[in-house]
PDB file of all heavy atoms in Angstrom:
ATOM      1  N   GLY A  24     135.835  81.098 108.066  1.00  0.00           N
ATOM      2  CA  GLY A  24     135.044  80.539 109.148  1.00  0.00           C
ATOM      3  C   GLY A  24     135.766  80.534 110.480  1.00  0.00           C
ATOM      4  O   GLY A  24     136.983  80.725 110.579  1.00  0.00           O
ATOM      5  N   GLU A  25     134.972  80.289 111.524  1.00  0.00           N
ATOM      6  CA  GLU A  25     135.488  80.405 112.894  1.00  0.00           C
ATOM      7  C   GLU A  25     136.560  79.373 113.212  1.00  0.00           C
ATOM      8  O   GLU A  25     137.490  79.648 113.965  1.00  0.00           O
ATOM      9  CB  GLU A  25     134.331  80.277 113.896  1.00  0.00           C
ATOM     10  CG  GLU A  25     134.764  80.564 115.325  1.00  0.00           C
ATOM     11  CD  GLU A  25     133.595  80.692 116.284  1.00  0.00           C
ATOM     12  OE1 GLU A  25     132.558  81.262 115.881  1.00  0.00           O
ATOM     13  OE2 GLU A  25     133.724  80.215 117.420  1.00  0.00           O
ATOM     14  N   GLU A  26     136.455  78.186 112.621  1.00  0.00           N
ATOM     15  CA  GLU A  26     137.456  77.155 112.900  1.00  0.00           C
ATOM     16  C   GLU A  26     138.850  77.621 112.514  1.00  0.00           C
ATOM     17  O   GLU A  26     139.824  77.380 113.236  1.00  0.00           O
ATOM     18  CB  GLU A  26     137.110  75.871 112.142  1.00  0.00           C
ATOM     19  CG  GLU A  26     138.060  74.719 112.427  1.00  0.00           C
ATOM     20  CD  GLU A  26     137.693  73.443 111.688  1.00  0.00           C
ATOM     21  OE1 GLU A  26     136.567  73.389 111.147  1.00  0.00           O
ATOM     22  OE2 GLU A  26     138.526  72.520 111.648  1.00  0.00           O
ATOM     23  N   ARG A  27     138.957  78.329 111.405  1.00  0.00           N
ATOM     24  CA  ARG A  27     140.268  78.817 110.965  1.00  0.00           C
ATOM     25  C   ARG A  27     140.747  79.977 111.832  1.00  0.00           C
ATOM     26  O   ARG A  27     141.945  80.151 112.039  1.00  0.00           O
ATOM     27  CB  ARG A  27     140.182  79.225 109.497  1.00  0.00           C
ATOM     28  CG  ARG A  27     140.029  78.036 108.568  1.00  0.00           C
ATOM     29  CD  ARG A  27     141.347  77.319 108.386  1.00  0.00           C
ATOM     30  NE  ARG A  27     142.234  78.082 107.514  1.00  0.00           N
ATOM     31  CZ  ARG A  27     143.546  77.933 107.462  1.00  0.00           C
ATOM     32  NH1 ARG A  27     144.148  77.057 108.247  1.00  0.00           N
ATOM     33  NH2 ARG A  27     144.264  78.657 106.633  1.00  0.00           N
ATOM     34  N   ILE A  28     139.817  80.789 112.343  1.00  0.00           N
ATOM     35  CA  ILE A  28     140.230  81.851 113.269  1.00  0.00           C
ATOM     36  C   ILE A  28     140.776  81.219 114.541  1.00  0.00           C
ATOM     37  O   ILE A  28     141.773  81.693 115.118  1.00  0.00           O
ATOM     38  CB  ILE A  28     139.062  82.807 113.567  1.00  0.00           C
ATOM     39  CG1 ILE A  28     138.488  83.385 112.271  1.00  0.00           C
ATOM     40  CG2 ILE A  28     139.540  83.949 114.475  1.00  0.00           C
ATOM     41  CD1 ILE A  28     137.251  84.239 112.464  1.00  0.00           C
ATOM     42  N   HIS A  29     140.142  80.133 114.990  1.00  0.00           N
ATOM     43  CA  HIS A  29     140.664  79.408 116.154  1.00  0.00           C
ATOM     44  C   HIS A  29     142.049  78.828 115.860  1.00  0.00           C
ATOM     45  O   HIS A  29     142.875  78.700 116.772  1.00  0.00           O
ATOM     46  CB  HIS A  29     139.698  78.292 116.563  1.00  0.00           C
ATOM     47  CG  HIS A  29     138.589  78.750 117.461  1.00  0.00           C
ATOM     48  ND1 HIS A  29     138.731  78.852 118.826  1.00  0.00           N
ATOM     49  CD2 HIS A  29     137.330  79.156 117.186  1.00  0.00           C
ATOM     50  CE1 HIS A  29     137.598  79.278 119.366  1.00  0.00           C
ATOM     51  NE2 HIS A  29     136.736  79.480 118.389  1.00  0.00           N
ATOM     52  N   ALA A  30     142.303  78.467 114.611  1.00  0.00           N
ATOM     53  CA  ALA A  30     143.637  77.973 114.254  1.00  0.00           C
ATOM     54  C   ALA A  30     144.674  79.075 114.393  1.00  0.00           C
ATOM     55  O   ALA A  30     145.838  78.815 114.731  1.00  0.00           O
ATOM     56  CB  ALA A  30     143.627  77.425 112.823  1.00  0.00           C
ATOM     57  N   ALA A  31     144.262  80.316 114.127  1.00  0.00           N
ATOM     58  CA  ALA A  31     145.178  81.451 114.312  1.00  0.00           C
ATOM     59  C   ALA A  31     145.386  81.758 115.787  1.00  0.00           C
ATOM     60  O   ALA A  31     146.462  82.213 116.189  1.00  0.00           O
ATOM     61  CB  ALA A  31     144.633  82.680 113.585  1.00  0.00           C
ATOM     62  N   TYR A  32     144.342  81.517 116.588  1.00  0.00           N
ATOM     63  CA  TYR A  32     144.387  81.823 118.035  1.00  0.00           C
ATOM     64  C   TYR A  32     143.994  80.585 118.821  1.00  0.00           C
ATOM     65  O   TYR A  32     142.883  80.490 119.339  1.00  0.00           O
ATOM     66  CB  TYR A  32     143.431  82.972 118.353  1.00  0.00           C
ATOM     67  CG  TYR A  32     143.690  84.234 117.565  1.00  0.00           C
ATOM     68  CD1 TYR A  32     142.706  84.768 116.738  1.00  0.00           C
ATOM     69  CD2 TYR A  32     144.911  84.883 117.649  1.00  0.00           C
ATOM     70  CE1 TYR A  32     142.936  85.933 116.018  1.00  0.00           C
ATOM     71  CE2 TYR A  32     145.154  86.041 116.923  1.00  0.00           C
ATOM     72  CZ  TYR A  32     144.165  86.559 116.108  1.00  0.00           C
ATOM     73  OH  TYR A  32     144.401  87.704 115.396  1.00  0.00           O
ATOM     74  N   PRO A  33     144.882  79.613 118.931  1.00  0.00           N
ATOM     75  CA  PRO A  33     144.505  78.343 119.555  1.00  0.00           C
ATOM     76  C   PRO A  33     144.449  78.414 121.082  1.00  0.00           C
ATOM     77  O   PRO A  33     145.125  79.216 121.722  1.00  0.00           O
ATOM     78  CB  PRO A  33     145.634  77.410 119.111  1.00  0.00           C
ATOM     79  CG  PRO A  33     146.821  78.309 118.926  1.00  0.00           C
ATOM     80  CD  PRO A  33     146.255  79.598 118.403  1.00  0.00           C
ATOM     81  N   GLY A  34     143.599  77.548 121.640  1.00  0.00           N
ATOM     82  CA  GLY A  34     143.596  77.280 123.074  1.00  0.00           C
ATOM     83  C   GLY A  34     143.507  78.484 123.972  1.00  0.00           C
ATOM     84  O   GLY A  34     142.585  79.307 123.891  1.00  0.00           O
ATOM     85  N   ALA A  35     144.492  78.601 124.857  1.00  0.00           N
ATOM     86  CA  ALA A  35     144.501  79.658 125.869  1.00  0.00           C
ATOM     87  C   ALA A  35     144.582  81.044 125.243  1.00  0.00           C
ATOM     88  O   ALA A  35     144.087  82.019 125.826  1.00  0.00           O
ATOM     89  CB  ALA A  35     145.668  79.443 126.833  1.00  0.00           C
ATOM     90  N   THR A  36     145.181  81.146 124.073  1.00  0.00           N
ATOM     91  CA  THR A  36     145.254  82.450 123.404  1.00  0.00           C
ATOM     92  C   THR A  36     143.853  82.952 123.070  1.00  0.00           C
ATOM     93  O   THR A  36     143.519  84.116 123.309  1.00  0.00           O
ATOM     94  CB  THR A  36     146.100  82.354 122.118  1.00  0.00           C
ATOM     95  OG1 THR A  36     147.423  81.921 122.454  1.00  0.00           O
ATOM     96  CG2 THR A  36     146.177  83.690 121.416  1.00  0.00           C
ATOM     97  N   TRP A  37     143.015  82.083 122.523  1.00  0.00           N
ATOM     98  CA  TRP A  37     141.632  82.459 122.203  1.00  0.00           C
ATOM     99  C   TRP A  37     140.879  82.879 123.465  1.00  0.00           C
ATOM    100  O   TRP A  37     140.189  83.903 123.478  1.00  0.00           O
ATOM    101  CB  TRP A  37     140.919  81.295 121.524  1.00  0.00           C
ATOM    102  CG  TRP A  37     139.477  81.591 121.232  1.00  0.00           C
ATOM    103  CD1 TRP A  37     138.413  81.430 122.082  1.00  0.00           C
ATOM    104  CD2 TRP A  37     138.946  82.150 120.027  1.00  0.00           C
ATOM    105  NE1 TRP A  37     137.248  81.824 121.471  1.00  0.00           N
ATOM    106  CE2 TRP A  37     137.545  82.272 120.212  1.00  0.00           C
ATOM    107  CE3 TRP A  37     139.504  82.533 118.808  1.00  0.00           C
ATOM    108  CZ2 TRP A  37     136.701  82.768 119.217  1.00  0.00           C
ATOM    109  CZ3 TRP A  37     138.664  83.027 117.827  1.00  0.00           C
ATOM    110  CH2 TRP A  37     137.299  83.142 118.036  1.00  0.00           C
ATOM    111  N   ASP A  38     141.006  82.095 124.510  1.00  0.00           N
ATOM    112  CA  ASP A  38     140.274  82.382 125.749  1.00  0.00           C
ATOM    113  C   ASP A  38     140.666  83.742 126.311  1.00  0.00           C
ATOM    114  O   ASP A  38     139.805  84.533 126.732  1.00  0.00           O
ATOM    115  CB  ASP A  38     140.548  81.296 126.790  1.00  0.00           C
ATOM    116  CG  ASP A  38     140.013  79.939 126.366  1.00  0.00           C
ATOM    117  OD1 ASP A  38     139.123  79.898 125.491  1.00  0.00           O
ATOM    118  OD2 ASP A  38     140.508  78.917 126.889  1.00  0.00           O
ATOM    119  N   ARG A  39     141.945  84.022 126.308  1.00  0.00           N
ATOM    120  CA  ARG A  39     142.411  85.313 126.847  1.00  0.00           C
ATOM    121  C   ARG A  39     141.969  86.474 125.956  1.00  0.00           C
ATOM    122  O   ARG A  39     141.546  87.520 126.456  1.00  0.00           O
ATOM    123  CB  ARG A  39     143.932  85.283 126.988  1.00  0.00           C
ATOM    124  CG  ARG A  39     144.508  86.513 127.685  1.00  0.00           C
ATOM    125  CD  ARG A  39     145.997  86.338 127.935  1.00  0.00           C
ATOM    126  NE  ARG A  39     146.588  87.561 128.476  1.00  0.00           N
ATOM    127  CZ  ARG A  39     147.890  87.735 128.689  1.00  0.00           C
ATOM    128  NH1 ARG A  39     148.739  86.740 128.432  1.00  0.00           N
ATOM    129  NH2 ARG A  39     148.350  88.874 129.171  1.00  0.00           N
ATOM    130  N   LEU A  40     142.030  86.287 124.652  1.00  0.00           N
ATOM    131  CA  LEU A  40     141.582  87.335 123.736  1.00  0.00           C
ATOM    132  C   LEU A  40     140.087  87.623 123.910  1.00  0.00           C
ATOM    133  O   LEU A  40     139.659  88.781 123.875  1.00  0.00           O
ATOM    134  CB  LEU A  40     141.863  86.932 122.285  1.00  0.00           C
ATOM    135  CG  LEU A  40     143.318  87.033 121.815  1.00  0.00           C
ATOM    136  CD1 LEU A  40     143.504  86.342 120.478  1.00  0.00           C
ATOM    137  CD2 LEU A  40     143.780  88.481 121.750  1.00  0.00           C
ATOM    138  N   ALA A  41     139.293  86.579 124.094  1.00  0.00           N
ATOM    139  CA  ALA A  41     137.850  86.767 124.269  1.00  0.00           C
ATOM    140  C   ALA A  41     137.555  87.560 125.543  1.00  0.00           C
ATOM    141  O   ALA A  41     136.622  88.375 125.578  1.00  0.00           O
ATOM    142  CB  ALA A  41     137.151  85.407 124.312  1.00  0.00           C
ATOM    143  N   GLU A  42     138.338  87.352 126.581  1.00  0.00           N
ATOM    144  CA  GLU A  42     138.153  88.102 127.824  1.00  0.00           C
ATOM    145  C   GLU A  42     138.522  89.572 127.634  1.00  0.00           C
ATOM    146  O   GLU A  42     137.817  90.472 128.108  1.00  0.00           O
ATOM    147  CB  GLU A  42     139.002  87.486 128.938  1.00  0.00           C
ATOM    148  CG  GLU A  42     138.522  86.114 129.384  1.00  0.00           C
ATOM    149  CD  GLU A  42     139.455  85.481 130.394  1.00  0.00           C
ATOM    150  OE1 GLU A  42     140.394  86.177 130.863  1.00  0.00           O
ATOM    151  OE2 GLU A  42     139.268  84.289 130.716  1.00  0.00           O
ATOM    152  N   VAL A  43     139.628  89.823 126.929  1.00  0.00           N
ATOM    153  CA  VAL A  43     140.021  91.214 126.662  1.00  0.00           C
ATOM    154  C   VAL A  43     138.992  91.887 125.763  1.00  0.00           C
ATOM    155  O   VAL A  43     138.637  93.050 125.960  1.00  0.00           O
ATOM    156  CB  VAL A  43     141.430  91.272 126.038  1.00  0.00           C
ATOM    157  CG1 VAL A  43     141.818  92.710 125.715  1.00  0.00           C
ATOM    158  CG2 VAL A  43     142.466  90.649 126.975  1.00  0.00           C
ATOM    159  N   LYS A  44     138.486  91.146 124.795  1.00  0.00           N
ATOM    160  CA  LYS A  44     137.452  91.669 123.902  1.00  0.00           C
ATOM    161  C   LYS A  44     136.222  92.087 124.708  1.00  0.00           C
ATOM    162  O   LYS A  44     135.649  93.165 124.494  1.00  0.00           O
ATOM    163  CB  LYS A  44     137.081  90.599 122.876  1.00  0.00           C
ATOM    164  CG  LYS A  44     135.957  90.998 121.910  1.00  0.00           C
ATOM    165  CD  LYS A  44     136.412  91.951 120.835  1.00  0.00           C
ATOM    166  CE  LYS A  44     135.348  92.089 119.761  1.00  0.00           C
ATOM    167  NZ  LYS A  44     135.741  93.023 118.698  1.00  0.00           N
ATOM    168  N   ALA A  45     135.802  91.271 125.649  1.00  0.00           N
ATOM    169  CA  ALA A  45     134.631  91.578 126.473  1.00  0.00           C
ATOM    170  C   ALA A  45     134.856  92.829 127.310  1.00  0.00           C
ATOM    171  O   ALA A  45     133.916  93.585 127.591  1.00  0.00           O
ATOM    172  CB  ALA A  45     134.311  90.390 127.376  1.00  0.00           C
ATOM    173  N   ARG A  46     136.089  93.065 127.691  1.00  0.00           N
ATOM    174  CA  ARG A  46     136.411  94.223 128.527  1.00  0.00           C
ATOM    175  C   ARG A  46     136.391  95.521 127.718  1.00  0.00           C
ATOM    176  O   ARG A  46     135.904  96.552 128.200  1.00  0.00           O
ATOM    177  CB  ARG A  46     137.790  94.005 129.161  1.00  0.00           C
ATOM    178  CG  ARG A  46     138.096  94.873 130.370  1.00  0.00           C
ATOM    179  CD  ARG A  46     139.354  94.376 131.071  1.00  0.00           C
ATOM    180  NE  ARG A  46     139.198  92.989 131.489  1.00  0.00           N
ATOM    181  CZ  ARG A  46     140.094  92.027 131.282  1.00  0.00           C
ATOM    182  NH1 ARG A  46     141.224  92.303 130.662  1.00  0.00           N
ATOM    183  NH2 ARG A  46     139.868  90.802 131.677  1.00  0.00           N
ATOM    184  N   TYR A  47     136.907  95.484 126.499  1.00  0.00           N
ATOM    185  CA  TYR A  47     137.083  96.718 125.731  1.00  0.00           C
ATOM    186  C   TYR A  47     136.085  96.892 124.585  1.00  0.00           C
ATOM    187  O   TYR A  47     135.926  97.998 124.086  1.00  0.00           O
ATOM    188  CB  TYR A  47     138.515  96.802 125.196  1.00  0.00           C
ATOM    189  CG  TYR A  47     139.531  96.986 126.289  1.00  0.00           C
ATOM    190  CD1 TYR A  47     140.227  95.892 126.810  1.00  0.00           C
ATOM    191  CD2 TYR A  47     139.785  98.239 126.834  1.00  0.00           C
ATOM    192  CE1 TYR A  47     141.158  96.050 127.829  1.00  0.00           C
ATOM    193  CE2 TYR A  47     140.716  98.411 127.854  1.00  0.00           C
ATOM    194  CZ  TYR A  47     141.389  97.311 128.346  1.00  0.00           C
ATOM    195  OH  TYR A  47     142.310  97.481 129.362  1.00  0.00           O
ATOM    196  N   ASP A  48     135.448  95.812 124.163  1.00  0.00           N
ATOM    197  CA  ASP A  48     134.465  95.909 123.074  1.00  0.00           C
ATOM    198  C   ASP A  48     133.342  94.900 123.318  1.00  0.00           C
ATOM    199  O   ASP A  48     133.145  93.964 122.535  1.00  0.00           O
ATOM    200  CB  ASP A  48     135.137  95.654 121.724  1.00  0.00           C
ATOM    201  CG  ASP A  48     134.197  95.878 120.537  1.00  0.00           C
ATOM    202  OD1 ASP A  48     133.141  96.521 120.731  1.00  0.00           O
ATOM    203  OD2 ASP A  48     134.516  95.400 119.433  1.00  0.00           O
ATOM    204  N   PRO A  49     132.580  95.081 124.378  1.00  0.00           N
ATOM    205  CA  PRO A  49     131.574  94.082 124.756  1.00  0.00           C
ATOM    206  C   PRO A  49     130.447  93.910 123.746  1.00  0.00           C
ATOM    207  O   PRO A  49     129.817  92.851 123.696  1.00  0.00           O
ATOM    208  CB  PRO A  49     131.047  94.603 126.106  1.00  0.00           C
ATOM    209  CG  PRO A  49     131.352  96.070 126.096  1.00  0.00           C
ATOM    210  CD  PRO A  49     132.630  96.208 125.333  1.00  0.00           C
ATOM    211  N   THR A  50     130.177  94.921 122.918  1.00  0.00           N
ATOM    212  CA  THR A  50     129.108  94.809 121.917  1.00  0.00           C
ATOM    213  C   THR A  50     129.627  94.393 120.545  1.00  0.00           C
ATOM    214  O   THR A  50     128.868  94.321 119.584  1.00  0.00           O
ATOM    215  CB  THR A  50     128.339  96.136 121.787  1.00  0.00           C
ATOM    216  OG1 THR A  50     129.225  97.144 121.266  1.00  0.00           O
ATOM    217  CG2 THR A  50     127.789  96.580 123.139  1.00  0.00           C
ATOM    218  N   ASN A  51     130.935  94.131 120.451  1.00  0.00           N
ATOM    219  CA  ASN A  51     131.558  93.700 119.192  1.00  0.00           C
ATOM    220  C   ASN A  51     131.395  94.739 118.087  1.00  0.00           C
ATOM    221  O   ASN A  51     131.108  94.409 116.934  1.00  0.00           O
ATOM    222  CB  ASN A  51     131.004  92.348 118.740  1.00  0.00           C
ATOM    223  CG  ASN A  51     131.985  91.560 117.873  1.00  0.00           C
ATOM    224  OD1 ASN A  51     133.155  91.931 117.757  1.00  0.00           O
ATOM    225  ND2 ASN A  51     131.519  90.481 117.283  1.00  0.00           N
ATOM    226  N   LEU A  52     131.587  96.006 118.449  1.00  0.00           N
ATOM    227  CA  LEU A  52     131.571  97.069 117.441  1.00  0.00           C
ATOM    228  C   LEU A  52     132.609  96.789 116.359  1.00  0.00           C
ATOM    229  O   LEU A  52     132.362  96.963 115.171  1.00  0.00           O
ATOM    230  CB  LEU A  52     131.851  98.421 118.111  1.00  0.00           C
ATOM    231  CG  LEU A  52     131.940  99.635 117.180  1.00  0.00           C
ATOM    232  CD1 LEU A  52     130.568  99.969 116.618  1.00  0.00           C
ATOM    233  CD2 LEU A  52     132.522 100.850 117.915  1.00  0.00           C
ATOM    234  N   PHE A  53     133.784  96.357 116.790  1.00  0.00           N
ATOM    235  CA  PHE A  53     134.872  96.052 115.855  1.00  0.00           C
ATOM    236  C   PHE A  53     134.778  94.572 115.471  1.00  0.00           C
ATOM    237  O   PHE A  53     135.453  93.722 116.045  1.00  0.00           O
ATOM    238  CB  PHE A  53     136.226  96.374 116.480  1.00  0.00           C
ATOM    239  CG  PHE A  53     136.377  97.811 116.885  1.00  0.00           C
ATOM    240  CD1 PHE A  53     136.362  98.168 118.226  1.00  0.00           C
ATOM    241  CD2 PHE A  53     136.501  98.814 115.934  1.00  0.00           C
ATOM    242  CE1 PHE A  53     136.488  99.501 118.609  1.00  0.00           C
ATOM    243  CE2 PHE A  53     136.623 100.146 116.310  1.00  0.00           C
ATOM    244  CZ  PHE A  53     136.619 100.487 117.643  1.00  0.00           C
ATOM    245  N   HIS A  54     133.910  94.275 114.517  1.00  0.00           N
ATOM    246  CA  HIS A  54     133.722  92.878 114.106  1.00  0.00           C
ATOM    247  C   HIS A  54     134.117  92.626 112.663  1.00  0.00           C
ATOM    248  O   HIS A  54     134.163  91.466 112.237  1.00  0.00           O
ATOM    249  CB  HIS A  54     132.265  92.443 114.318  1.00  0.00           C
ATOM    250  CG  HIS A  54     131.281  93.192 113.480  1.00  0.00           C
ATOM    251  ND1 HIS A  54     130.627  94.314 113.936  1.00  0.00           N
ATOM    252  CD2 HIS A  54     130.842  92.992 112.202  1.00  0.00           C
ATOM    253  CE1 HIS A  54     129.821  94.772 112.993  1.00  0.00           C
ATOM    254  NE2 HIS A  54     129.938  93.997 111.923  1.00  0.00           N
ATOM    255  N   LEU A  55     134.418  93.674 111.890  1.00  0.00           N
ATOM    256  CA  LEU A  55     134.909  93.449 110.533  1.00  0.00           C
ATOM    257  C   LEU A  55     136.402  93.151 110.613  1.00  0.00           C
ATOM    258  O   LEU A  55     137.260  94.015 110.423  1.00  0.00           O
ATOM    259  CB  LEU A  55     134.639  94.667 109.644  1.00  0.00           C
ATOM    260  CG  LEU A  55     133.354  94.619 108.821  1.00  0.00           C
ATOM    261  CD1 LEU A  55     133.290  95.804 107.865  1.00  0.00           C
ATOM    262  CD2 LEU A  55     133.228  93.315 108.036  1.00  0.00           C
TER     263      LEU A  55
END
């Protein structure tokens, strides 16, 4: 679940990753 993924990427790390994800994979092709 998502809560545990947030545990792997807490706080500012998650926010920055989500921004990079939007830049390079905006449609979430790589979701597996």
Side-chain angles (χ1 to χ4, degrees):
E25 187 169 322
E26 183 179 347
R27 290 283 285 160
I28 304 175
H29 275 276
Y32 304 120
T36 300
W37 177 274
D38 295 340
R39 187 173 174 186
L40 284 168
E42 291 175 8
V43 178
K44 177 76 169 179
R46 198 169 302 132
Y47 292 97
D48 186 16
T50 65
N51 206 10
L52 177 70
F53 301 108
H54 64 266
L55 265 187

